[in-house]
Amino acid sequence: MTTSADPTTPAAAGPPYDQSVLREIARRVLWLSAAIVDAANAGRANHSGVKVGGHQASSASMVDIMTALWFAELTALDRVSVKPHASPVLHAVNYLLGDLDESYLPTLRAQGGLQSYPSRLKDPDTVDFSTGSVGIGATAALWAAVAHRYIASQFPGSPPAGRFISLLGDAELDEGAIWEAVADPAVAQLGELLWVVDLNRQSLDRVVPDIQIERLQGMFAAAGWQVVTVKWGRLISGLFQRPGGAELRARLEIMPNEEYQRMLRVRPSEIADRIIGTNGSEQLRSLLSTIEPAELAAAIRDLGGHDLGLLVDTFRGIDPNRPTVVFAYTIKGRGLPTEGHPNNHSALLTAAQMQALADASGMDTARPWQRFDPSTPAGQLCARRARQLYRDPVAPSRPVSIPASLGHPHRKPVSTQAALGRFLADLAHDAPEAAKRVVTCSPDVASSTNLGGWINKTGVWSVRDRHDWFADDSERVLRWREVSNGQHIELGIAEINLVSLLGELGATWSRWGKRLIPIATLYDPFVSRALEPWSYGIYSGGQSILVGTPSGVSLAPEGGAHQSISTPSIGLEQPGCIAWEPAFAQDLEWCLLYAMEHVGVPGGTSSYFRLSTRPVDPALAQVPAEPALAERRRQQARAGGYRLPAGHPVAEEDVTLIGMGAIMPEVVAAAAVLAAEGVNAGVVCLTSPDLVFRSFQQRGRRGTGVGGSIVDELFPAGHPAPLVTVLDGHPHTLAFLAGVRGDPIRCLGVTEFGQSSGLDDAYRIHQIDTGSIVDAALTIAGR
């Protein structure tokens, strides 16, 4: 069901507000947001010739919505995601509230200054959510609501939260991420969600064609959302009540977006004729003849998204028991000379236009950053709202001890994917305090990524407990208990939702002081689909562990559609993340515990694990039995790699074979074949090419970084040898190793789409089988 806000309805219950004071503040916010962009482009030297840019028009359409929220409606517990192009409005609001020093106002898009789009980690003022990746920032507030519900269910006494609000442009509703999130079944139960759509009917290049509001309203309503439309303000609604008013309203509401926008750009004296058109009734003509052109020009601009009183009353009248979307009709560029122009998206006001805006705002271009006099009603309201919106600093999360090892022997051949399931089960038994912080997620692939044992122990988290109709089924292996204190969150087949939630679960330590260790599993070929929102989550401060499994052509029978190729290098290249691909169960245990140590802590990092369904014999790892040597192996595995066997005489090597992940049995077998042919082949097993690359990169730099000196341990400078690298992924991932000592190198891997086959056939097709490794080694060694 959809409703329209009624401009004639009395104010809803809530603290009193003075609409005239709100309007005065809105005028100042409009000026400041425009001046912030102007100062960046016209107020500082620019020798590069590269346009600084900014979005004065996109900001202007949001001014009244944000003024109504920040100066009349928000509480300190609310969290707001602001559309990317309205960042100057957010900074202007924070400045008036005393949350931003004046020195930052001329620094938009400058080093150390205000970011181009709201950034939770990089901006100097309060920013609840980073935005900029279109659509993803808007959904972040939704997933933050889920994350808060989760910690509240797991940790009694967790800090309370208010509403989770997203301010987004109507063009963002074209983004698939929006609808994946809106349609998730659990979302319909989140009454703390409020989305406000800035319905200015323009995108970057154009006026959005036709009238799409009914379709959008229907899509939200079908997903269980309360839909409220704020279309007309109280001024024009008064005209609708007069004779001919119904015809005026009908004419305006069937007017295509482009026709309405064009009407905003003509002289006031022309507006009546454009409304009447060729079929206007006598009543409509009569009504318009009684309205002065200036009044009519103001009336057609009186949209609901610019009526401060109507906005406040609408926000206060929302049903808090289900998610709500408010479609607030606005004009892009409202109050600026560029308002309504189809090409105003990145247009910058001229000096003359800025002067005219200053005059209209009661400001002085020579002193553009004036706050309100504290003794005035506006100054008093700013001070009062600053006190009401103040948040105490987040208390640090209680330290959680993560063991270095679980200490269970790994004797039987097992895949790293199966080892993940065993690891989680052992963790719950051996380190319950650490396990309590773990929350797993998957997009309907929990059982096929070996999370079944963990789910049986912990249950599936749900907003509310659900009856388990299969509880009495003795043949059921996976016990799917949906309870409010479960530790696995299952989503539909929507990888964007998965990683978006992952980012917010990984930010609870900094939002509310409650540390979580989120671990998500998805099929590795779909990591690419999830990469942008996961990268956004990392950029925004979310720390998590993403497990891509199964991976590579080792998943031979599934064919090319499910065989990932480029993910190893994607992981290596992702900022704020360590990429891992361990071959053996013991390595996975050590590396995963290391990754857990660094999630949910200041200065922490995310991790990406690429796992396989291929069983691998742990004996091939030759883990030393002597405790001191085993500890050395653990340290090397966590640093990025180790040599096989330990103590192999590096100085005598004719060639060095380097492998990682599921391909290690072929690498070890190739070394044995070469030895039988009189070729001394060293073997390097990488657990993280990412850390080895970082070790290589930090050579010659002051200080030490992640990865340490592992590259020199694996490839000692005094003992060069030709290299053959092998992995079940794109071969260029390890090509950087040629630069470690300047060795000749041959890189084997997967460069073409695969096909359904047996494992041996798949490896032979892509020339990563034992025979191909041996051939490459003999060739590069000159044999």
Side-chain angles (χ1 to χ4, degrees):
M1 178 180 179
T2 63
T3 61
S4 294
D6 185 352
T8 64
T9 301
Y17 62 89
D18 186 326
Q19 190 168 340
S20 64
V21 175
L22 291 180
R23 177 51 60 197
E24 184 179 1
I25 290 174
R27 281 195 294 269
R28 186 65 54 89
V29 171
L30 176 63
W31 163 257
L32 288 171
S33 62
I36 286 171
V37 177
D38 183 70
N41 288 273
R44 63 175 184 252
N46 180 3
H47 304 294
S48 69
V50 177
K51 177 184 175 182
V52 176
H55 299 88
Q56 291 170 320
S58 294
S59 290
S61 62
M62 285 295 300
V63 164
D64 294 321
I65 293 170
M66 294 177 67
T67 298
L69 284 169
W70 265 264
F71 292 93
E73 183 61 12
L74 295 182
T75 73
L77 297 178
D78 297 331
R79 298 290 184 270
V80 187
S81 170
V82 177
K83 79 170 190 177
H85 294 158
S87 63
V89 183
L90 178 60
H91 298 310
V93 167
N94 282 339
Y95 174 64
L96 292 179
L97 293 173
D99 188 35
L100 184 65
D101 188 79
E102 180 181 321
S103 62
Y104 283 104
L105 297 183
T107 68
L108 180 70
R109 303 189 174 201
Q111 181 180 358
L114 303 177
Q115 299 301 297
S116 55
Y117 308 124
S119 173
R120 184 168 175 255
L121 299 186
K122 298 179 183 296
D123 272 316
D125 50 340
T126 298
V127 175
D128 292 329
F129 297 94
S130 300
T131 56
S133 186
V134 178
I136 298 171
T139 65
L142 182 156
W143 301 116
V146 175
H148 183 267
R149 288 247 187 158
Y150 180 84
I151 63 169
S153 70
Q154 300 293 326
F155 309 109
S158 293
R163 290 164 296 182
F164 292 85
I165 301 170
S166 290
L167 309 178
L168 60 159
D170 53 338
E172 284 189 89
L173 296 180
D174 292 340
E175 292 290 328
I178 296 288
W179 300 108
E180 285 192 15
V182 166
D184 189 87
V187 172
Q189 303 178 66
L190 302 177
E192 61 269 44
L193 281 185
L194 170 60
W195 284 16
V196 184
V197 179
D198 171 19
L199 197 71
N200 60 45
R201 293 171 282 186
Q202 285 186 239
S203 61
L204 191 153
D205 291 328
R206 60 177 182 162
V207 176
V208 177
D210 304 320
I211 300 173
Q212 303 187 49
I213 182 64
E214 291 184 2
R215 177 176 60 86
L216 298 173
Q217 291 168 330
M219 292 168 71
F220 275 100
W225 289 54
Q226 176 185 198
V227 180
V228 179
T229 302
V230 184
K231 186 164 189 177
W232 303 111
R234 285 166 171 150
L235 170 63
I236 196 169
S237 293
L239 298 181
F240 295 157
Q241 304 305 312
R242 293 162 57 176
E247 288 84 354
L248 173 61
R249 180 169 189 161
R251 170 70 174 106
L252 293 176
E253 291 191 348
I254 65 170
M255 187 178 286
N257 294 338
E258 301 95 327
E259 183 181 3
Y260 172 78
Q261 297 283 109
R262 183 67 186 96
M263 187 170 59
L264 298 175
R265 305 295 302 169
V266 303
R267 291 189 297 270
S269 59
E270 300 177 29
I271 295 174
D273 287 340
R274 286 183 174 266
I275 294 175
I276 293 169
T278 57
N279 299 308
S281 68
E282 286 303 317
Q283 278 193 312
L284 178 58
R285 291 175 183 274
S286 177
L287 171 63
L288 295 178
S289 68
T290 66
I291 303 172
E292 291 295 325
E295 182 186 357
L296 185 57
I300 66 167
R301 289 166 168 79
D302 183 38
L303 300 182
H306 298 303
D307 188 321
L308 289 163
L310 179 59
L311 286 167
V312 174
D313 293 347
T314 299
F315 296 146
R316 292 181 179 180
I318 286 171
D319 177 2
N321 297 309
R322 55 186 173 137
T324 298
V325 58
V326 175
F327 288 99
Y329 277 73
T330 62
I331 297 172
K332 192 166 185 174
R334 182 71 170 98
L336 303 180
T338 57
E339 70 174 12
H341 194 284
N343 303 124
N344 66 7
H345 182 80
S346 298
L348 299 173
L349 300 188
T350 65
Q353 289 172 328
M354 284 297 297
Q355 182 61 59
L357 180 62
D359 295 341
S361 306
M363 296 296 288
D364 182 354
T365 55
R367 299 173 58 237
W369 314 124
Q370 297 177 63
R371 288 190 172 102
F372 291 106
D373 184 326
S375 64
T376 64
Q380 292 170 356
L381 178 58
C382 288
R384 183 166 67 251
R385 292 300 291 161
R387 293 190 299 270
Q388 293 169 342
L389 295 175
Y390 174 78
R391 300 172 187 165
D392 291 321
V394 175
S397 183
R398 183 170 60 85
V400 177
S401 176
I402 307 294
S405 175
L406 298 182
H408 296 277
H410 299 275
R411 296 192 178 97
K412 298 180 179 179
V414 65
S415 69
T416 47
Q417 178 179 293
L420 171 67
R422 174 179 167 177
F423 169 88
L424 290 170
D426 290 344
L427 185 74
H429 181 270
D430 297 351
E433 183 63 23
K436 182 65 176 175
R437 301 287 170 166
V438 171
V439 51
T440 59
C441 313
S442 67
D444 203 37
V445 294
S447 57
S448 58
T449 53
N450 286 76
L451 297 184
W454 166 261
I455 291 172
N456 285 345
K457 284 179 178 288
T458 64
V460 177
W461 182 81
S462 177
V463 174
R464 299 183 182 89
D465 291 350
R466 295 173 61 88
H467 183 75
D468 183 1
W469 292 101
F470 288 86
D472 60 348
D473 185 351
S474 60
E475 297 182 1
R476 185 176 66 166
V477 176
L478 182 61
R479 296 191 294 275
W480 200 262
R481 297 177 297 109
E482 295 185 69
V483 291
S484 58
N485 64 345
Q487 287 183 248
H488 173 76
I489 302 178
E490 186 83 358
L491 299 171
I493 304 175
E495 287 80 10
I496 291 178
N497 281 356
L498 174 77
V499 294
S500 297
L501 172 60
L502 199 64
E504 290 305 321
L505 291 169
T508 57
W509 67 276
S510 58
R511 289 197 192 280
W512 298 291
K514 294 296 179 182
R515 180 186 181 187
L516 293 176
I517 303 173
I519 302 174
T521 61
L522 77 165
Y523 291 164
D524 195 65
F526 306 139
V527 166
S528 299
R529 181 187 302 173
L531 184 62
E532 183 196 0
W534 189 50
S535 180
Y536 159 84
I538 296 173
Y539 168 79
S540 303
Q543 300 167 12
S544 60
I545 298 172
L546 184 64
V547 179
T549 184
S551 64
V553 298
S554 294
L555 191 63
E558 290 284 346
H562 280 68
Q563 296 171 353
S564 54
I565 297 172
S566 61
T567 48
S569 59
I570 285 176
L572 189 152
E573 296 158 6
Q574 174 59 44
C577 168
I578 300 174
W580 306 86
E581 190 166 348
F584 304 104
Q586 181 64 77
D587 293 346
L588 174 64
E589 175 189 312
W590 286 333
C591 296
L592 193 51
L593 288 168
Y594 176 89
M596 290 172 59
E597 287 177 22
H598 294 82
V599 167
V601 294
T605 185
S606 295
S607 282
Y608 160 54
F609 282 81
R610 191 172 187 259
L611 305 185
S612 173
T613 53
R614 182 193 186 186
V616 176
D617 187 350
L620 296 176
Q622 303 179 58
V623 178
E626 203 281 322
L629 294 179
E631 172 60 17
R632 185 172 189 272
R633 169 66 66 83
R634 184 183 74 87
Q635 295 287 356
Q636 289 176 324
R638 288 159 55 119
Y642 51 86
R643 280 185 161 265
L644 288 176
H648 180 82
V650 178
E652 300 174 10
E653 287 179 5
D654 299 309
V655 66
T656 304
L657 310 181
I658 304 116
M660 57 190 250
I663 208 72
M664 280 308 298
E666 278 65 34
V667 175
V668 172
V673 172
L674 289 168
E677 295 296 318
V679 177
N680 190 331
V683 174
V684 173
C685 177
L686 298 182
T687 55
S688 172
D690 190 350
L691 292 182
V692 175
F693 178 73
R694 297 186 199 193
S695 175
F696 171 52
Q697 286 289 92
Q698 71 190 32
R699 278 177 167 179
R701 298 180 182 177
R702 293 186 177 89
T704 58
V706 176
S709 60
I710 190 65
V711 71
D712 295 316
E713 293 182 40
L714 299 177
F715 306 101
H719 304 290
L723 309 178
V724 176
T725 68
V726 195
L727 73 155
D728 187 357
H730 200 284
H732 97 276
T733 306
L734 300 180
F736 73 90
L737 292 174
V740 173
R741 296 178 305 202
D743 299 318
I745 193 169
R746 175 73 186 279
C747 299
L748 305 182
V750 180
T751 59
E752 303 291 340
F753 291 115
Q755 57 184 287
S756 295
S757 67
L759 182 67
D760 291 342
D761 291 331
Y763 283 3
R764 187 164 48 253
I765 290 169
H766 297 282
Q767 297 183 336
I768 54 176
D769 59 309
T770 299
S772 297
I773 299 171
V774 169
D775 180 66
L778 291 172
T779 301
I780 201 167
R783 299 297 181 97

